[in-house]
Amino acid sequence: MPKSGVISILQGVEGLPIIVVFALLLALFMYTAPTVFLQPFIYTTFLSTLPPLILLAIGLTFVIGAGEIDLCFPAIIAFSGFVFAVLFKEYNLGWIAVAAGLASGVLVGFVNGVLVAKIGIPSFMATLATQFFWTGMATVLSGGKSYALREAEQSSVWQWIVGRPFAGSQTAWLAQMPMQALWTTIIVLFLWLILTRHRFGEHVLFIGDSNEVSRVVGIDVDREKIKLFTLMGFLAACAAIMLTLENKNFFGNQGQGYLLTAIASVLIGGTSIFGGRATIIGTVFGCFIIGMIEAGLVATGLTGAWVRTVQGLIFLISIIFYLYADEPQRRRTFFARFGRFQGFGRVQSVE
Amino acid sequence: MTASATSPDVPTFQSIVRLERVQKFFGAVQALRDVDLSIARNEIVGLIGDNGAGKSTLIKVMTGVTPPTAGRIYVRDKLIDLSDYSVRMAHDLSIETVYQDKSLAEKQPLWRNFFVGRQIANRFGFIDIKREKEIADQILKDVIGFRGVGITVDSTIGHLSGGERQGIAIGRAMHYNADLIVLDEPTAALGVAEVRKVVDFVRRIKSSGRACIYIEHNLAHVHEVAERLIVLDRGAIVAEILPKDMSVIELTEYLIDLQHKS
């Protein structure tokens, strides 16, 4: 059966449809904006600007895969970013500031997890509320100020987290290779292993499939959900610190732009909005697509205002695509509906 | 944990599970009242009663899914500390449950469904996928008897028929050497041929020396395989019937009368 062999190979490659879309889109932009997309610098720029988005989207892949949602992460970017920036700048605490920033994200995530798992608030509502709370806290504590980290490049924190290790290199693109790309790659690979081969990843997918089934097979659903939101908090804090260091500046609403883009990246990548199915590789390519659209549209000559519109549209199309491609029941009802329309006589009848 | 879980062949106990004066409240609603029940080794007990009689609650209490409000539970004649009784502990005590449609996760492959909750993993929690798949394949072929029907360990549950799902879930329970297998309405929503398969699975449970609690709506199915029928009504056990003393028709009339008595 050579045919089914080919199909099984296609299905065996994680995130294949999205990789194809990515390649097509890349080819399109290479054609419409060759001066940008045939040069290496756009790609090194991606490596320095995309890591925060990728980290957030990877965390959300777990959360959405478990059938939950987290809307709180933009607030964690603000709050943990603030904790880090103030300790780094005002108190000169260096690596302690990094640890405190991460700890604050973990704490916020843990509280989200407790609200969802133990108190039983639907995650949509719980994290919407905590998003307002922590954004408010960050604004109150920072007094609405931004913190410019001017001499940050001198510090070992900056050099290790977002530095340019090959800055002295003769090759221009190599000199711009950023450290955050390395860290992000390591975290992504590790979490890919967790999702596909670790107990926790399996539990996440079973919880996303059905809370009830998960309970009867002996998964401690509440505890795994708390871990899930704590992981999200940790990753959002990592993103916050990278973002603050890369910009050498903290400002209160630095997380706001990520809400749509991170969720869109996850769903474009092929993780199911109903939970139970999640793909890290798909998410990473989803992030590349979201980032590329931004750069590509502007380089093609459209105004920045178009970027969100097109991202929203692609987001919607991909959700509809996955809905009907991967959920056989929905596909059947969809075609049944279509058939009824044809039977109605408005459309030409099918053979 | 009890040591007896490791030696199921030695009959050192009278009953696998015994409940004493078990009560369960959901808020002000009493779902179970003074339930006393004992399940012996290698017997098939049918649990019948109308919707809302408390059958599912009774099972959930017995298998550690929800704790009772009051009462005692003995497993192999040993009193269970209810504060740490859980599904995992019930598994350790060789009690397995097959729920009507809640035993298997739809979008996950078969092999993950076999091992979830007790994965073959190293000490860091990473799963040995290759071994899990090998063992799952063996269960599929030898215990359940699915050969050449196009089902592999990588099939997702969503693609299987209702009877096949029950077979998978029962096969999983037998693989884990359960002494007691609880079946919660395994034939609900199944076609005739599928029901036959499930009844055969239940007979396999008996012939392999295990005990089974069989909850069923369809009296004919349960009458056919059970050795003892327990009737629940509004949370209490109201009768114990031996199938040889009562035909299916008499049983049906008895249950209808029960409803009218209120």
Side-chain angles (χ1 to χ4, degrees):
Chain A
M1 294 179 290
K3 196 183 165 194
S4 73
V6 171
I7 288 170
S8 71
I9 289 168
L10 289 181
Q11 287 172 338
V13 179
E14 191 182 333
L16 189 69
I18 198 63
I19 296 174
V20 171
V21 171
F22 169 76
L24 291 176
L25 209 57
L26 186 63
L28 176 73
F29 284 134
M30 280 176 172
Y31 176 72
T32 59
T35 49
V36 175
F37 278 87
L38 292 178
Q39 292 294 316
F41 303 108
I42 184 76
Y43 303 104
T44 51
T45 306
F46 281 151
L47 291 182
S48 65
T49 56
L50 283 182
L53 176 65
I54 293 175
L55 291 178
L56 294 170
I58 292 298
L60 275 175
T61 305
F62 279 81
V63 173
I64 295 175
E68 303 285 342
I69 187 67
D70 190 332
L71 303 177
C72 181
F73 62 89
I76 299 179
I77 293 183
F79 184 72
S80 295
F82 163 74
V83 169
F84 167 72
V86 77
L87 294 180
F88 187 80
K89 188 186 180 191
E90 306 287 329
Y91 297 90
N92 260 319
L93 286 173
W95 286 102
I96 297 174
V98 174
L102 293 178
S104 67
V106 165
L107 185 73
V108 173
F110 179 77
V111 170
N112 285 341
V114 170
L115 290 175
V116 172
K118 293 291 180 193
I119 311 216
I121 310 172
S123 54
F124 175 77
M125 279 300 145
T127 56
L128 188 62
T130 54
Q131 185 201 152
F132 283 118
F133 180 82
W134 294 108
T135 308
M137 276 305 258
T139 314
V140 169
L141 294 174
S142 66
K145 279 188 299 184
S146 62
Y147 287 82
L149 312 176
R150 262 181 223 97
E151 303 83 37
E153 311 88 292
Q154 310 303 323
S155 67
S156 67
V157 170
W158 192 91
Q159 278 163 4
W160 273 94
I161 297 178
V162 297
R164 304 290 187 268
F166 309 111
S169 165
Q170 294 300 311
T171 324
W173 65 267
L174 188 62
Q176 290 184 15
M177 288 297 278
M179 282 298 278
Q180 63 262 47
L182 174 71
W183 298 125
T184 304
T185 309
I186 292 171
I187 294 174
V188 166
L189 283 177
F190 177 70
L191 289 177
W192 176 75
L193 281 175
I194 294 287
L195 185 64
T196 54
R197 311 189 82 93
H198 194 270
R199 234 184 241 141
F200 176 66
E202 188 166 290
H203 290 173
V204 162
L205 295 178
F206 271 76
I207 289 170
D209 219 314
S210 158
N211 281 333
E212 192 70 21
V213 169
S214 302
R215 278 199 188 94
V216 302
V217 298
I219 297 171
D220 189 338
V221 174
D222 292 355
R223 208 184 63 186
E224 301 298 59
K225 280 190 185 171
I226 292 175
K227 279 196 221 164
L228 193 67
F229 283 93
T230 309
L231 173 70
M232 184 69 219
F234 172 77
L235 290 171
C238 289
I241 292 171
M242 279 183 191
L243 196 64
T244 310
L245 283 171
E246 174 68 27
N247 294 338
K248 282 179 237 156
N249 190 17
F250 162 80
F251 57 100
N253 51 1
Q254 64 182 8
Q256 295 306 324
Y258 285 103
L259 187 60
L260 169 95
T261 49
I263 296 177
S265 303
V266 174
L267 298 180
I268 288 173
T271 294
S272 166
I273 27 173
F274 303 103
R277 200 160 34 74
T279 154
I280 299 275
I281 294 172
T283 296
V284 171
F285 278 93
C287 291
F288 287 157
I289 287 175
I290 285 287
M292 203 165 64
I293 288 170
E294 192 144 8
L297 287 182
V298 174
T300 306
L302 289 168
T303 59
W306 277 98
V307 171
R308 282 287 182 271
T309 319
V310 174
Q311 283 174 339
L313 188 67
I314 290 189
F315 183 15
L316 197 60
I317 291 170
S318 62
I319 293 178
I320 294 172
F321 168 77
Y322 284 115
L323 201 60
Y324 289 111
D326 286 348
E327 312 263 326
Q329 249 172 324
R330 281 169 216 281
R331 192 168 54 214
R332 236 170 281 137
T333 49
F334 174 75
F335 284 118
R337 221 174 293 154
F338 201 61
R340 200 179 59 196
F341 260 80
Q342 288 174 329
F344 219 62
R346 281 193 233 162
V347 190
Q348 286 181 335
S349 64
V350 281
E351 263 50 40
Chain B
M1 301 286 170
T2 46
S4 58
T6 55
S7 52
D9 298 331
V10 188
T12 51
F13 51 89
Q14 297 290 312
S15 56
I16 290 191
V17 177
R18 192 166 88 243
L19 305 185
E20 265 183 25
R21 299 184 59 81
V22 163
Q23 321 271 349
K24 177 70 187 176
F25 285 88
F26 291 110
V29 181
Q30 188 166 14
L32 294 176
R33 18 186 130 223
D34 285 336
V35 172
D36 289 301
L37 176 65
S38 161
I39 309 294
R41 301 168 57 246
N42 199 214
E43 77 169 334
I44 298 187
V45 177
L47 193 57
I48 52 182
D50 205 10
N51 285 332
K55 302 186 297 281
S56 295
T57 310
L58 179 58
I59 291 313
K60 283 186 177 157
V61 166
M62 196 183 285
T63 55
V65 178
T66 47
T69 314
R72 292 174 208 257
I73 299 177
Y74 296 84
V75 175
R76 288 190 194 76
D77 304 337
K78 284 199 179 113
L79 184 63
I80 295 290
D81 179 0
L82 292 173
S83 63
D84 60 40
Y85 193 43
S86 64
V87 175
R88 208 172 278 244
M89 190 171 165
H91 285 168
D92 289 340
L93 295 168
S94 300
I95 298 172
E96 296 282 335
T97 317
V98 175
Y99 289 93
Q100 181 183 3
D101 52 0
K102 300 189 213 79
S103 280
L104 304 167
E106 291 266 324
K107 295 178 196 166
Q108 313 306 324
L110 255 174
W111 65 271
R112 282 197 193 267
N113 269 290
F114 273 128
F115 290 97
V116 67
R118 46 198 149 187
Q119 294 91 342
I120 304 173
N122 67 16
R123 68 198 146 110
F124 303 109
F126 285 97
I127 300 168
D128 188 341
I129 293 179
K130 197 161 160 266
R131 266 198 64 209
E132 283 200 355
K133 282 190 175 182
E134 276 167 15
I135 296 174
D137 190 53
Q138 208 181 325
I139 303 172
L140 205 57
K141 290 190 173 122
D142 301 344
V143 182
I144 311 175
F146 284 171
R147 273 175 200 279
V149 283
I151 299 172
T152 71
V153 293
D154 290 310
S155 309
T156 46
I157 298 298
H159 291 106
L160 306 183
S161 77
E164 286 163 352
R165 291 179 200 204
Q166 293 301 331
I168 301 278
I170 293 172
R172 176 175 66 183
M174 286 170 64
H175 170 74
Y176 286 110
N177 266 327
D179 285 345
L180 173 64
I181 298 178
V182 180
L183 302 176
D184 186 4
E185 306 209 10
T187 60
L190 293 189
V192 180
E194 299 281 291
V195 168
R196 275 268 67 93
K197 284 184 204 159
V198 174
V199 170
D200 285 342
F201 286 129
V202 176
R203 293 229 168 84
R204 272 196 202 199
I205 295 175
K206 169 79 181 172
S207 63
S208 65
R210 299 173 169 96
C212 173
I213 299 178
Y214 186 6
I215 305 178
E216 187 54 80
H217 252 92
N218 186 314
L219 296 176
H221 299 162
V222 71
H223 189 274
E224 185 181 341
V225 288
E227 294 158 273
R228 185 155 68 100
L229 295 171
I230 306 284
V231 184
L232 265 181
D233 185 43
R234 273 152 282 183
I237 293 179
V238 293
E240 210 181 301
I241 296 164
L242 301 180
K244 61 178 194 294
D245 298 343
M246 228 188 236
S247 71
V248 176
I249 296 164
E250 289 166 335
L251 185 63
T252 312
E253 277 167 6
Y254 172 81
L255 288 177
I256 292 170
D257 285 348
L258 202 64
Q259 287 305 304
H260 290 302
K261 265 196 286 186
S262 53

